[in-house]
């Protein structure tokens, strides 16, 4: 028995005249002779040439699209065009049959919506193979980036009693019987009888716990699932998404922006270097898809050029106040083309405004800083103007907000006053306040939406297509 080789290794080595075994799933089988075999290691298929005259007719019939096959034979230089090497099979075995009439994935183009319904099988398509290979490498590159810089990967809790963002849109966690919740004397649900003796929820962010780590280990990051029960049925929101949250002690907002920009560029470069085939496939997919659209809805650049462009450009940095001026003077605002017309300073920016700044005005990634305090979270450091906070959002072409971060309020009195403004009870946050009581220091961090970065890198349009099993309002399949 010869050892199984992955198709990627066979194709990249280019070696010929050796015997090996390949295993994978049949994409197509032409002429009772040519199998296009995929094992998911690369977007490319290996051509397996079957000796049809000396192969049992029953076996030939079982080689169908979707079946799992093992083939052993010699790797030789390919006769046909389109591939450099092929496998001349001496033996072929069908490991798992696939009824061609019933197999949902036919060798033709399927819509992304259809594939979302059969997300358990969509990994077997070229598009989703590319996406999930890239997704893996994005995670790997992020860990590598932080490891090279001496950051400690901190695992923050998934079940928590705190609401880090103060947004209140959380999934509750309880073991109490939903049909007869125990009540206390005042008639409220008695969470003292619950599993944790208190009310708990799935985390919306690991930031507050990461801050605790940073104020001892200096530089930490979290990378885990986060949950938001916001009813956002958009192409950029998930109810369950993964977030990377670095936190640095002895760092201010400029250090924070530098870190975020360096990290994004590092990851983009890593993917461009290691996923050329996948990116080329996705770029072509996007061009095909957009060729159906009117010119003004197409991407201004092909995928790979766009990625290179973002690596080469310094991100544009400006304050919220400067951005509001640009937006108020912009054509779509004056002509009331925005769905949300900006009337005054203080307005929250919508995705349409963010994308205008990035795609129309600056034509490159943008970092906005110093937002009005009323539209940002309680923990952000107050500026001397008493109106704005040391926040920063990074806006990306085609995506809008990809990173949200800030310098943190390290002054105990100011932080407590802010918590009062937000009606956050201090007694529930003593653990957080302790870091400000004992050895507080300047610190800063941010959150990167992992799926939004994968969306950007793959040129896909819907966030539901870059996570294996998306969770969104009305859907928690698989
Ligand atoms: O801006 P957000 O809400 O910031 C925080 O959670 C902070 N605690 C981060 C920090 O400073 N440590 O979320 C951060 C990022 C956003 O910029 C966005 O990319 C992503 O997380 N994000 C989502 N991604 C997918 N689906 C959702 N519902 C998302 N909500 C936020
Ligand atoms: Mg945000």
């Amino acid at each position: 028995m010869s050892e199984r080789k992955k198709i990627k290794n066979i194709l990249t080595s280019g070696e010929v005249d050796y015997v090996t075994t390949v295993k994978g799933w049949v994409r197509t089988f032409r002429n009772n002779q040519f199998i296009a075999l995929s094992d998911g290691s690369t977007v490319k298929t290996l051509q397996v040439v079957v000796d049809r005259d000396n192969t049992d007719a029953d076996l030939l019939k079982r080689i169908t699209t979707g079946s799992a096959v093992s083939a052993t034979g010699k790797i030789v230089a390919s006769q046909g065009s389109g591939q450099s090497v092929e496998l001349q099979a001496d033996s072929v075995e069908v490991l798992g049959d696939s009824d061609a009439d019933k197999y949902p994935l036919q060798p033709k183009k399927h819509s992304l919506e259809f594939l979302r319904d059969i997300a358990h099988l969509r990994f077997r398509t070229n598009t989703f193979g590319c996406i999930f290979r890239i997704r893996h490498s994005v995670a790997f590159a992020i860990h590598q980036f932080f490891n090279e810089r001496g950051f400690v990967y901190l695992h923050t809790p998934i079940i928590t009693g705190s609401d880090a963002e103060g947004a209140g849109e959380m999934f509750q966690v309880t073991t109490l019987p939903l049909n007869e919740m125990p009540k206390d004397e005042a008639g409220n649900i008695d969470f003292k009888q619950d599993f944790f003796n208190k009310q708990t929820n799935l985390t919306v962010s690991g930031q507050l716990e990461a801050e605790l780590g940073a104020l001892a280990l200096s530089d930490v990051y979290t990378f885990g699932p986060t949950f938001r029960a916001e009813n956002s049925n958009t192409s950029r929101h998930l109810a369950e998404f993964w977030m990377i949250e670095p936190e640095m002690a002895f760092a201010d907002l400029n250090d924070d922006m530098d870190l975020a920009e360096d990290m994004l560029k590092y990851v983009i470069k890593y993917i461009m270097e290691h996923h050329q085939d996948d990116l080329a496939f996705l770029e072509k997919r996007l061009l095909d898809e957009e060729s159906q659209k009117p010119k003004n809805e197409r991407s201004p650049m092909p995928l790979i050029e766009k990625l290179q462009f973002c690596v080469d450009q310094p991100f544009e940095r400006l304050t919220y106040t400067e951005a509001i001026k640009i937006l108020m003077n912009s054509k779509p605002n004056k002509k009331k083309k925005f769905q949300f017309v900006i009337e005054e300073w203080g307005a929250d920016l919508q995705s349409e405004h963010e994308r205008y700044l990035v795609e129309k005005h600056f034509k490159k990634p943008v970092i906005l800083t110093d937002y009005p305090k009323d539209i940002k979270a309680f923990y952000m450091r107050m500026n001397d103007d008493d109106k704005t906070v040391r926040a920063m959002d990074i806006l990306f072409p085609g995506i809008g907000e990809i990173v949200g971060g800030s310098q943190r309020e390290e002054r105990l009195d100011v932080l407590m006053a802010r918590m009062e403004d937000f009606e956050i009870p201090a007694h529930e946050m003593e653990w957080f306040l302790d870091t400000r009581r004992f050895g507080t220091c300047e610190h800063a961090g941010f959150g990167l939406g992992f799926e939004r970065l994968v969306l950007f890198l793959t040129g896909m349009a819907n966030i539901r297509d870059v996570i294996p099993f998306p969770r969104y309002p009305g859907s928690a399949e698989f």
Side-chain angles (χ1 to χ4, degrees):
M1 223 7 228
S2 56
E3 204 185 314
R4 176 198 177 200
K5 268 200 196 312
K6 291 265 180 93
I7 292 174
K8 182 181 181 182
N9 297 337
I10 293 173
L11 295 180
T12 48
S13 91
E15 265 175 67
V16 288
D17 293 332
Y18 63 94
V19 171
T20 192
T21 297
V22 292
K23 292 180 184 181
W25 294 267
V26 174
R27 284 293 174 79
T28 55
F29 186 38
R30 280 187 301 123
N31 277 349
N32 263 350
Q33 201 176 9
F34 302 110
I35 302 175
L37 193 73
S38 164
D39 67 5
S41 61
T42 159
V43 69
K44 294 185 172 152
T45 52
L46 180 72
Q47 174 151 290
V48 174
V49 185
V50 180
D51 181 0
R52 66 177 162 189
D53 298 329
N54 296 309
T55 304
D56 189 54
D58 285 341
L59 179 61
L60 289 175
K61 269 193 214 134
R62 291 173 58 209
I63 304 174
T64 55
T65 296
S67 58
V69 158
S70 169
T72 301
K74 202 181 212 180
I75 296 287
V76 298
S78 179
Q79 317 293 311
S81 60
Q83 63 275 326
S84 55
V85 299
E86 62 190 23
L87 185 129
Q88 295 278 338
D90 297 324
S91 70
V92 177
E93 191 187 342
V94 173
L95 304 172
D97 291 278
S98 170
D99 184 336
D101 295 332
K102 294 191 182 138
Y103 186 51
L105 288 173
Q106 296 301 317
K108 63 159 198 173
K109 212 170 143 53
H110 293 290
S111 77
L112 294 171
E113 289 75 21
F114 170 74
L115 293 173
R116 220 172 281 145
D117 287 341
I118 53 160
H120 57 298
L121 292 174
R122 68 179 178 171
F123 301 108
R124 296 191 186 185
T125 64
N126 282 332
T127 298
F128 286 94
C130 291
I131 292 169
F132 291 115
R133 280 187 297 273
I134 289 178
R135 185 182 162 107
H136 156 77
S137 287
V138 177
F140 178 80
I142 287 169
H143 283 300
Q144 184 165 280
F145 172 84
F146 284 119
N147 188 53
E148 281 171 7
R149 293 184 174 223
F151 280 65
V152 173
Y153 178 23
L154 200 69
H155 296 95
T156 50
I158 289 170
I159 300 174
T160 171
S162 94
D163 168 11
E165 290 304 298
E169 289 167 323
M170 302 178 299
F171 291 101
Q172 297 189 38
V173 175
T174 182
T175 54
L176 290 177
L178 296 177
N179 50 359
E180 44 179 324
M181 295 293 251
K183 300 279 169 62
D184 63 14
E185 277 158 19
N188 300 317
I189 294 169
D190 186 10
F191 285 104
K192 286 208 176 67
Q193 296 187 41
D194 205 347
F195 189 91
F196 298 107
N197 303 133
K198 64 187 269 189
Q199 198 171 358
T200 53
N201 52 272
L202 296 178
T203 186
V204 295
S205 158
Q207 177 198 321
L208 301 192
E209 293 90 352
E211 283 189 49
L212 313 180
L215 266 68
L217 300 163
S218 282
D219 296 321
V220 302
Y221 71 105
T222 72
F223 188 162
T226 46
F227 308 86
R228 306 228 172 145
E230 52 197 348
N231 201 1
S232 302
N233 243 315
T234 81
S235 58
R236 281 165 189 77
H237 288 87
L238 290 164
E240 175 179 298
F241 65 99
W242 289 66
M243 187 153 58
I244 295 95
E245 296 185 275
E247 194 70 33
M248 297 178 288
F250 314 109
D252 64 13
L253 193 69
N254 287 320
D255 301 315
D256 203 32
M257 289 189 281
D258 290 345
L259 180 76
E261 185 168 341
D262 286 353
M263 182 193 66
L264 288 166
K265 288 179 171 173
Y266 181 99
V267 175
I268 297 170
K269 272 193 240 170
Y270 184 92
I271 297 302
M272 291 181 72
E273 208 177 303
H274 293 86
H275 285 274
Q276 287 165 4
D277 291 345
D278 291 330
L279 287 176
F281 179 88
L282 290 170
E283 173 168 290
K284 181 159 181 310
R285 190 205 72 84
L286 188 60
L287 286 173
D288 288 349
E289 187 185 81
E290 292 193 338
S291 65
Q292 325 282 334
K293 289 187 181 170
K295 263 215 166 82
N296 63 343
E297 285 176 30
R298 296 181 200 168
S299 316
M301 286 178 208
L303 178 61
I304 296 168
E305 193 182 328
K306 176 188 79 175
L307 300 182
Q308 186 63 50
F309 180 80
C310 286
V311 170
D312 293 340
Q313 297 292 317
F315 297 178
E316 186 74 31
R317 300 182 184 190
L318 70 157
T319 64
Y320 165 91
T321 302
E322 288 163 327
I324 282 288
K325 276 190 206 136
I326 293 169
L327 288 167
M328 297 233 282
N329 286 321
S330 71
K331 252 199 207 149
N333 204 61
K334 286 183 170 165
K335 294 197 166 164
K336 305 206 186 302
K337 286 272 159 63
F338 283 141
Q339 197 187 339
F340 297 92
V341 175
I342 302 217
E343 311 273 7
E344 57 183 4
W345 188 93
D348 205 352
L349 300 186
Q350 306 296 326
S351 167
E352 57 181 343
H353 309 125
E354 296 173 341
R355 293 185 60 178
Y356 174 84
L357 290 169
V358 174
E359 290 158 36
K360 298 281 185 301
H361 190 84
F362 290 108
K363 298 192 165 65
K364 59 172 160 166
V366 169
I367 312 184
L368 292 189
T369 64
D370 302 287
Y371 282 75
K373 64 176 184 187
D374 294 334
I375 58 172
K376 288 290 180 191
F378 75 96
Y379 50 71
M380 299 188 179
R381 194 178 199 281
M382 186 70 78
N383 280 319
D384 292 341
D385 63 10
D386 231 22
K387 276 165 53 188
T388 59
V389 288
R390 283 306 261 161
M392 65 108 171
D393 274 8
I394 302 188
L395 316 178
F396 256 38
I399 306 287
E401 179 190 338
I402 194 163
V403 162
S406 66
Q407 186 174 328
R408 317 305 188 190
E409 185 53 76
E410 85 283 13
R411 298 163 296 185
L412 181 66
D413 53 337
V414 185
L415 182 60
M416 289 185 76
R418 288 295 287 153
M419 284 170 54
E420 244 181 80
D421 292 345
F422 282 82
E423 294 175 12
I424 300 169
H427 68 88
E428 286 177 15
M429 300 288 285
E430 291 303 336
W431 52 273
F432 187 64
L433 295 171
D434 263 359
T435 50
R436 274 65 172 175
R437 290 191 182 107
F438 308 114
T440 191
C441 72
E442 202 169 67
H443 62 290
F446 64 82
L448 164 70
F450 184 61
E451 283 76 18
R452 293 203 186 167
L453 179 55
V454 179
L455 200 57
F456 174 74
L457 286 161
T458 55
M460 299 299 289
N462 194 321
I463 199 163
R464 296 172 188 175
D465 293 331
V466 299
I467 186 164
F469 303 106
R471 270 84 184 88
Y472 49 92
S475 181
E477 295 308 310
F478 310 104

